[in-house]
Amino acid sequence: MSNPVDSHPNRNLLILHFTVFIWGFTGILGAVISINAVQLVWYRVLIASLSLLAYFLITKTSLRISKKQFLQFFFTGSIVAAHWILFFHAIKVSTVSVTLVALSSYTLFTAILEPLIKKKSILIPDVVIGLIMILGIYMVFKFESGYTLGIILGLLSALASSLFSTINSTLVQKSDPKIIGFYEMTGAFFWITLYRLFDKSLLSESFNLSVKDWSYLLLLGTICTALAYVAGVSVMRTLSAFRVALITNLEPVYGILLAFIFFGSKETMSIGFYLGAILIIGAVFLYPIYKKRRNLT
């Protein structure tokens, strides 16, 4: 019997688009949830971990892994936690649009980090695309200097995202991505809890959030994190890496459009910002096209 996921490539393409759209929506939730970034991510990874655990129990999936794998996933979870905290904090101190454009520099950092971690040579076209993105980032900095802290936090978030994604690209060769995701989120929860115990914020946590905040957090932890992760992984079995990369790069586009719909004039930026954003996002889209052509030659 054929796998239903494998027999509907067009449906899987729609699922991937919807998944990326959901990822873009996380920025909106980060802006409307009233608690700070550390609290927000703490609740997010807790809800996501419990949701994935329920999924594994329902599907009777074994969570057994080696001690080495556990330590790898658990410590990588600390980088995941840092990425999300920096991302949401950037939104809190700037805007969704600024943060998502800064986060697009993920491609630039990956082009640098991947060869270093995997001990490969850095290619000239990678450098060219990187320079285009640096020019775009410079323009965003120049024309939106009022959001300097948000831009810096967004860039650091992109760096953390690139680091754990590069690590995961190696780990996924030997482990189920869903299992990796579960242990990394559990690890993220552990490290944030440790930090919150150290700064004593967890000891004073009242858990007395508004109904609105609880609703948004549940949406963020279940639909935008756990479900989106499982859906994103499942469709990758039938779609090419090129197509996945190209569609995933729509995240900042979806996010910025959603920000305009939800927040209107607050998300309006200068012409210089949009020129910089076009350079960055344009380079992001060129990167997988260049990669595909290079692999065909």
Side-chain angles (χ1 to χ4, degrees):
M1 183 180 293
S2 62
N3 189 323
V5 174
D6 296 338
S7 58
H8 297 89
N10 290 332
R11 185 183 69 182
N12 292 337
L13 193 61
L14 288 174
I15 290 173
L16 181 59
H17 270 286
F18 182 65
T19 301
V20 174
F21 179 82
I22 289 174
W23 289 338
F25 189 68
T26 60
I28 306 300
L29 293 175
V32 298
I33 295 173
S34 64
I35 55 179
N36 66 48
V38 175
Q39 287 177 294
L40 193 158
V41 178
W42 186 77
Y43 282 108
R44 177 185 190 175
V45 292
L46 171 61
I47 294 168
S49 297
L50 292 175
S51 300
L52 278 175
L53 180 60
Y55 167 80
F56 291 136
L57 291 174
I58 291 169
T59 57
K60 298 180 179 178
T61 302
S62 173
L63 292 171
R64 187 182 298 275
I65 56 174
S66 68
K67 182 179 178 181
K68 179 182 177 182
Q69 288 175 313
F70 174 79
L71 291 174
Q72 287 175 327
F73 303 160
F74 211 65
F75 280 100
T76 304
S78 65
I79 307 174
V80 176
H83 157 63
W84 279 338
I85 289 171
L86 289 164
F87 172 73
F88 286 118
H89 191 42
I91 289 173
K92 298 289 186 183
V93 300
S94 60
T95 70
V96 175
S97 297
V98 166
T99 302
L100 286 172
V101 168
L103 189 66
S104 299
S105 62
Y106 159 89
T107 303
L108 168 63
F109 290 120
T110 301
I112 298 169
L113 286 176
E114 191 172 23
L116 293 175
I117 292 174
K118 296 185 177 181
K119 297 180 180 179
K120 296 179 180 179
S121 58
I122 297 178
L123 302 172
I124 297 299
D126 285 358
V127 175
V128 173
I129 289 175
L131 289 173
I132 294 171
M133 296 190 73
I134 289 170
L135 176 60
I137 292 167
Y138 168 76
M139 291 182 68
V140 171
F141 262 110
K142 182 178 179 180
F143 290 96
E144 297 297 338
S145 57
Y147 295 124
T148 297
L149 178 58
I151 297 168
I152 292 172
L153 291 171
L155 291 172
L156 290 173
S157 175
L159 175 60
S161 175
S162 173
L163 182 57
F164 80 73
S165 295
T166 303
I167 293 171
N168 279 347
S169 68
T170 301
L171 297 177
V172 78
Q173 303 301 320
K174 298 180 180 179
S175 305
D176 184 334
K178 295 188 292 296
I179 301 295
I180 294 173
F182 170 72
Y183 281 109
E184 287 184 350
M185 282 185 224
T186 304
F189 175 72
F190 171 80
W191 295 114
I192 299 173
T193 300
L194 204 62
Y195 171 79
R196 297 196 66 200
L197 286 171
F198 179 77
D199 75 353
K200 299 182 180 179
S201 64
L202 187 58
L203 301 176
S204 59
E205 183 74 47
S206 65
F207 302 98
N208 187 28
L209 304 180
S210 67
V211 173
K212 183 179 74 171
D213 278 343
W214 274 119
S215 300
Y216 289 150
L217 282 168
L218 286 170
L219 179 62
L220 178 65
T222 55
I223 305 298
C224 297
T225 307
L227 180 62
Y229 189 90
V230 173
V233 169
S234 65
V235 299
M236 288 176 190
R237 295 172 183 169
T238 57
L239 299 177
S240 68
F242 168 73
R243 181 166 286 187
V244 170
L246 205 59
I247 294 171
T248 301
N249 289 338
L250 284 169
E251 181 183 350
V253 178
Y254 285 148
I256 290 171
L257 290 175
L258 284 167
F260 273 116
I261 293 170
F262 281 89
F263 304 124
S265 59
K266 182 185 175 183
E267 293 292 327
T268 302
M269 301 293 163
S270 64
I271 296 297
F273 169 84
Y274 291 115
L275 290 175
I278 289 170
L279 280 176
I280 295 168
I281 295 173
V284 166
F285 276 95
L286 282 173
Y287 192 71
I289 294 172
Y290 142 67
K291 283 287 187 182
K292 184 181 182 182
R293 289 184 176 178
R294 185 171 67 85
N295 290 336
L296 291 175
T297 57

